[in-house]
Amino acid sequence: MKKMIEEAFAKHFGGEGILYVAPGRFNLIGEHTDYNGGFVFPGAIDKYIMADIRPNGTDGVVRLYSIDMDASCEFGLNEEDAPKEQWARYVFGVCREIIKRGGVVKGFDAVFAGNVPLGAGLSSSAALESCFANALNDLFNDNRFPRMELAKIGQSTEHNYCGVNCGIMDQFASVHGKKDYIMRLDCRSGEFEYFPIRLDGYKLVLVDSRVKHELVDSPYNKRRESCERVARKLGVETLRDATMDMLNAAKDEISQEDYMRAEYVIGEKERVLDVCDALNRGDLETVGDRMYKTHQGLSKLYEVSCEELDFLNDIAKECGVTGSRIMGGGFGGCTVNLVRDDIYDNFIDTVTSRFKERYGHEPKIYPIVVSDGARRYQE
Ligand code: GLA
């Protein structure tokens, strides 16, 4: 990818820039908990966005070329210059959010490309935001923004320029990722810990359904609104502080739908803690059990699954896979699977052929390689 980007940079702008990369992420457990003040357990993966960037000496003209879109875009750094192309809005948003925080962004030229599959729930947009946030921090701000602030710059970009009211998990993971470690982040305090990923006798693998259900009315934001409504009703800041007893005591004042959403979130909070304990003991069977329970909750209570993902989950169970669940926001994309080495090949063959038989196309298989976060590229 490096060579292709450098050639495109030379062709579009002449000469060369500085290369930066930032990865997508996976998440072991703790789904839809980030915006509820809970815990998440993500890691960066070996799929990333790479950008070649060079200040262009102008006061505020940004010129971009996206290799994957085969499209160019030019914008100024003032609010009224927001580009209409979605892919360019991510970069524009990052620039604006840096400026809003008192940082410096001057004109620059950039070419970028990526291999994070789009719409697969692997956070290609967070990778793009983190790549540019880190690069612009390095190029124009002497790296004065701490890493967590870079993640927040990406998150605010989603909120203010892309209409997604996301939590902090994706940008956090893309910025903080570390090879061979997953991270447990407390989304309320912002504290986090690195856990070495020890999977003796097991593998983690993503199975990508390659379906993306574009649902009207922004269902992600609606889920978040439900949680916030219940938290207000229970008099807590976020559902992190709610218990099933509190929820049941207020049952009559909460819609059936909101009740289900909150029931999932409260259950997920427990499951994440169980998984931490189990990981400390090296008990991967319990980790897997909780992953299946999370899938059930995401499918039946939070209602962010779809037929294809439920099917993938069923096949995993039939094959004796230790743990399997929807990963990320939902409504399509991948399942994350914890698979014993001895059944791995059989699982991959079975899930590939059964899915194809049913839906006419093969799922994509991505073995998880836990990788480093946003950085200046080095060979
Ligand atoms: C998306 C959001 C994250 C998180 C997950 C669900 O990936 O961007 O903030 O809420 O969904 O866990």
Side-chain angles (χ1 to χ4, degrees):
M1 190 187 306
K2 171 178 180 278
K3 190 155 175 270
M4 173 177 82
I5 293 178
E6 285 175 338
E7 282 172 9
F9 192 95
K11 177 166 160 230
H12 284 264
F13 303 119
E16 56 188 38
I18 299 178
L19 286 166
Y20 293 87
V21 284
R25 61 98 189 90
F26 85 106
N27 184 27
L28 185 61
I29 197 155
E31 216 64 87
H32 291 275
T33 46
D34 55 357
Y35 53 83
N36 285 301
F39 292 93
V40 292
F41 238 126
I45 56 174
D46 65 339
K47 309 215 173 303
Y48 50 85
I49 300 279
M50 182 183 281
D52 205 1
I53 308 183
R54 185 180 62 196
N56 60 20
T58 66
D59 199 22
V61 178
V62 174
R63 294 183 295 184
L64 302 175
Y65 174 66
S66 157
I67 294 184
D68 301 326
M69 301 285 164
D70 187 18
S72 298
C73 180
E74 181 172 320
F75 57 77
L77 290 168
N78 297 319
E79 191 74 48
E80 55 276 12
D81 296 331
K84 56 183 187 320
E85 296 90 337
Q86 182 58 41
W87 62 268
R89 288 180 79 90
Y90 291 111
V91 181
F92 177 75
V94 167
C95 297
R96 290 295 313 166
E97 290 297 327
I98 290 179
I99 294 168
K100 258 190 223 170
R101 286 162 171 78
V104 176
V105 183
K106 296 190 180 145
F108 64 89
D109 299 332
V111 170
F112 66 93
N115 57 13
V116 190
L118 299 181
L122 300 178
S123 301
S124 52
S125 57
L128 181 55
E129 291 149 6
S130 304
C131 184
F132 276 88
N134 179 51
L136 301 178
N137 193 33
D138 190 37
L139 289 171
F140 297 122
N141 296 280
D142 289 330
N143 286 303
R144 80 170 154 103
F145 289 104
R147 296 231 132 209
M148 193 59 104
E149 200 57 35
L150 299 181
K152 287 183 185 159
I153 285 167
Q155 182 192 24
S156 304
T157 297
E158 297 281 345
H159 291 185
N160 300 331
Y161 300 91
C162 309
V164 181
N165 233 338
C166 64
I168 192 72
M169 170 169 74
D170 305 349
Q171 293 79 10
F172 163 81
S174 180
V175 167
H176 293 84
K178 187 159 146 182
K179 190 173 180 314
D180 299 329
Y181 288 84
I182 54 175
M183 298 161 281
R184 187 187 59 189
L185 169 69
D186 178 337
C187 299
R188 182 166 62 186
S189 68
E191 277 164 22
F192 62 96
E193 246 180 284
Y194 287 99
F195 275 69
I197 180 117
R198 265 189 255 103
L199 294 171
D200 300 336
Y202 294 80
K203 288 185 176 46
L204 279 169
V205 62
L206 300 167
V207 180
D208 182 1
S209 64
R210 292 165 63 203
V211 300
K212 179 86 192 141
H213 294 280
E214 289 296 354
L215 302 177
V216 279
D217 289 345
S218 179
Y220 180 91
N221 293 353
K222 287 217 145 114
R223 296 300 181 282
R224 182 168 182 161
E225 284 159 23
S226 281
C227 295
E228 289 171 352
R229 233 180 349 255
V230 177
R232 271 196 303 276
K233 196 43 93 204
L234 301 184
V236 291
E237 200 185 322
T238 59
L239 289 182
R240 160 82 172 263
D241 298 313
T243 61
M244 275 315 284
D245 285 348
M246 289 161 75
L247 182 63
N248 284 326
K251 193 165 186 176
D252 296 344
E253 300 159 52
I254 294 172
S255 72
Q256 165 77 13
E257 195 177 280
D258 283 0
Y259 179 91
M260 283 160 46
R261 307 301 186 238
E263 185 183 352
Y264 161 76
V265 172
I266 294 169
E268 184 71 350
K269 188 170 68 174
E270 287 304 311
R271 287 188 288 271
V272 177
L273 297 177
D274 291 350
V275 163
C276 286
D277 289 347
L279 279 180
N280 284 330
R281 293 193 305 272
D283 171 7
L284 292 173
E285 292 297 315
T286 299
V287 174
D289 172 76
R290 297 306 185 274
M291 289 168 77
Y292 278 115
K293 292 197 168 113
T294 293
H295 185 91
Q296 278 300 310
L298 286 170
S299 176
K300 301 289 178 290
L301 297 173
Y302 220 63
E303 298 183 298
V304 295
S305 187
C306 59
E307 200 196 306
E308 294 88 346
L309 290 171
D310 286 343
F311 184 72
L312 289 176
N313 190 258
D314 288 344
I315 303 285
K317 212 174 282 168
E318 276 174 45
C319 290
V321 166
T322 305
S324 175
R325 65 175 196 83
I326 304 170
M327 198 188 70
F331 312 107
C334 293
T335 57
V336 54
N337 302 273
L338 177 64
V339 193
R340 277 202 332 270
D341 286 344
D342 59 318
I343 63 162
Y344 185 82
D345 291 343
N346 176 53
F347 168 57
I348 300 300
D349 291 349
T350 310
V351 78
T352 303
S353 59
R354 296 274 303 279
F355 193 89
K356 173 149 197 226
E357 215 173 277
R358 175 99 164 225
Y359 296 108
H361 67 268
E362 288 187 356
K364 284 229 155 115
I365 308 292
Y366 309 117
I368 292 180
V369 179
V370 186
S371 303
D372 283 328
R375 62 199 183 275
R376 199 193 262 225
Y377 178 80
Q378 267 156 351
E379 302 268 3

